[in-house]
Amino acid sequence: FSLKELHGIFPWLVESIFGSLDGIIVGWNLRCLQGRTNPNEYSVALDFLDPSGPMMKLVYKLQAEEYRYDFPVSYLPGPVKASIQEQVLPECSLYHNKVQFPSSGGLGLNLALNPFEYYMFYFAISLITQKNSPVTHHVSPSNSAYFILVDTYLKCFLPTEGSVLPPPSSNPGGAIPSPTPRSPAVPFSSYGMHHTSLLKRHIAHQPSVNADPASQEIWRSETLLQIFVEMWLHHYSLEMYQKMQSPHVKLEVLHYRLSISSKHHGSPAQSSYQALHAYQESFKPTEEHVLVVRLLVKHLHAFSNSLKPEPLSPSAHSHTASPLEEFKRVVIPRFVQEKLYIFLQHCFGHWPLDASFRAVLEMWLSYLQPWRYAPEKPPQSTEPLPRSVSEKWAAFIQENLLMYTKLFVGFLNRALRTDLVSPKNALMVFRVAKVFAQPNLAEMILKGEQLFLEPELVIPHRQHRLFMSPTLGGSFLSSRSPAVTDASFKVKSHVYSLEGQDFQYKQMFGTEVRNLVLKLAQLICQAQQTAKSISDHSAETMASQSFFSWFRFTQSEMNGSYTGNDLDEIGQDSIKKTDEYLEKALEYLCQIFKLSEAQLTQMMMKCGTAQDENGKKQLPDCIASENGLILTPLGRYQIINGLRRFEVQYQGDTELQPIRSYENAALVRLLFRLSSVLNHRFAAQMEVLCSRDDFVGRLCRYHLTNPQLIQRIRYSPVVRDRTSHNWGPRISLRFLASYRTLISLLMIYFLASWFYIGPVGCTFIILIGYFLYAVIMTFFFEGWKPHEH
């Protein structure tokens, strides 16, 4: 094909591979393509899209001719699209000199992209647009072709060792100058103080013939990273996030949601705060999206940590540092930090309270631990001792203070609303506690808070944004210790740049957060007690299950109580894991926040007093009143999450209770009518017999009266005077409608036939035997009747 023909089919080819921007065309469906299920297609796709494969060779070939391709602005992330449509230049240099007015009859604004940018835009945004792809089998995101390609591109264009490989082209290093608008330029203004490209001095005005290869390798690296960050993280603007932190705005948004839920669409809140509602609800990242972002974060840590040691002489540094080294120095604070923080804040506030939050949690913890991706390896030792965090990471922790402190508080608020008896939820608490309990980490976070809380210096308005400039973006690997005032200024700049000048900082080691930790510790103790009670209950249930128990009448089945629990199904192994996770998490929390043994003992005692006399079953938290039991907010939470329950039992007339699954409905109704006729006809005679004080009276009371209800635990929060009844003498034949009773009688008749005993004789023997049994029981216990339940 000629270059002109390749230029014409290139947009069609890209769309055929990655799918259309509106999601209608699925393309190759790289997100669901796995080597285990489709090995041939999987290997062909990876080879074709490899950085040195045919597709990238086509990209470089077209790029040498300076072709441009239109990308609709309407498919860009929300904040970028809104700013461009309002003719405000985005802060990212990726969009500079690329926005164009539509031609006559056009539908909207477009970006004029070179082939490399166009290819990477489609590749990155396919993770967002292709959400409803048909899936016929379980797909593991980390094994998909898309995930592998992301990892391959990161390793190629952001190498931790060596330099970026030159383009596989006959004209390597051919520079692509900034695209010239093909229509009248848009009169853009810039929001904020946008940063110029890191390598503007290298490539802005260089002719393509004499381009510096090093500059070109950095141009591809920076472009790739900016596209990934913009497409995957920039779905919430900093300005909108800061507005959302205002209590007044939060109240108005709540009013807006209430007006929507009550269908009052004419309320003023709908028009005033529709944009804020859209901020909170429009974009919802998937678990796969978060896993890809975590891969990006891990690689950027490894890429940044591969920075060569800084020379002692500043003059030597200015002459010997390559563009790639400069890029490593500022890649995280300039390109990733702000957008990742807002992305995490949104996930922490809006992600469902279920186990899928584990993906967000691990991505956050990966960012908090850059030392895990440092080139040096810890010494191998026989004892797995926790690795202490080196002091050289103090600058990184201080310059990312909110990532550690505010997001930790956000996690605490989530953990307090989850069911910690679930092993997956317990594991998340354990993971966070274990990370923050690493030796020396809590001390460095505390030092960062102290630097932020130092007396305020005179900081000019918005001067904190200068911290992100290349001149102040020092390496967090630097061995030189900055002055205390400089470190304090950096911490304050970091906090105020993300949260605004009016931000009220909540100390991680302050009283308010410490109280939240104590609540979490108490909840952990309660979850441990609940898990233990479930384990004991499961063990008892297993022990009591036998063949002969199928023929027995149990009190719980007869009185209608529900003794099961959804958590019984998690199994003994899961309960054991839950207990281990919670025990270690509690130990780590005590290390981090210096909780004393006395506080833990007090919490354990408080949890222990909630148990009943048997030490097994717990009632929900409630208050006793003259009208019965009233649930507290804690009690409602315990019931909703299955932590505790009332044992609800049928407390009305036992003859009128609902027909059970083990009863024959026709026999129940027939025997009830027969019992009612007998009770109505012989009521006076039964009353006289039961009122006698001799043995006959005792025998009649044993058969014809309900027992007095013994004192027992409260089964449901009902009025007290409804928990006991004393019915008059009556006959109850309902026990004969039970399938187990009928089968037991049939087995007795069958066994009797072996001894040549007929039905009449067998019935007589059963009646004689039962009469003797009843006489004996009358002497010892008058209050239990096996036939009336």
Side-chain angles (χ1 to χ4, degrees), residues 554-612:
T554 59
Q555 179 70 13
S556 61
E557 289 175 339
M558 295 299 104
N559 59 26
S561 65
Y562 171 72
T563 59
N565 191 304
D566 294 337
L567 296 175
D568 294 342
E569 300 177 0
I570 64 179
Q572 291 292 328
D573 293 338
S574 296
I575 293 175
K576 186 179 298 184
K577 287 183 180 179
T578 299
D579 189 62
E580 292 175 359
Y581 291 147
L582 294 178
E583 185 177 355
K584 295 298 293 184
L586 191 59
E587 178 183 336
Y588 288 137
L589 288 175
C590 292
Q591 294 177 12
I592 299 168
F593 293 92
K594 305 295 190 293
L595 299 181
S596 64
E597 197 72 28
Q599 290 174 311
L600 281 183
T601 304
Q602 184 179 4
M603 282 188 297
M604 295 295 290
M605 291 178 61
K606 186 180 293 186
C607 295
T609 56
Q611 307 252 334
D612 64 1

Side-chain angles (χ1 to χ4, degrees), residues 236 240 244 249 252-261 269-284 346 350:
Y236 323 100
M240 188 63 71
M244 289 300 302
V249 173
E252 293 294 341
V253 170
L254 177 61
H255 289 165
Y256 168 74
R257 287 181 167 182
L258 293 175
S259 68
I260 293 298
S261 62
Q270 182 177 0
S271 58
S272 302
Y273 290 94
Q274 195 165 4
L276 298 179
H277 175 76
Y279 160 79
Q280 287 197 322
E281 303 295 341
S282 61
F283 182 77
K284 298 177 181 178
H346 186 90
H350 296 83

Side-chain angles (χ1 to χ4, degrees), residues 102-115:
S103 57
S104 58
L107 298 178
L109 294 169
N110 294 309
L111 294 180
L113 305 176
N114 63 48

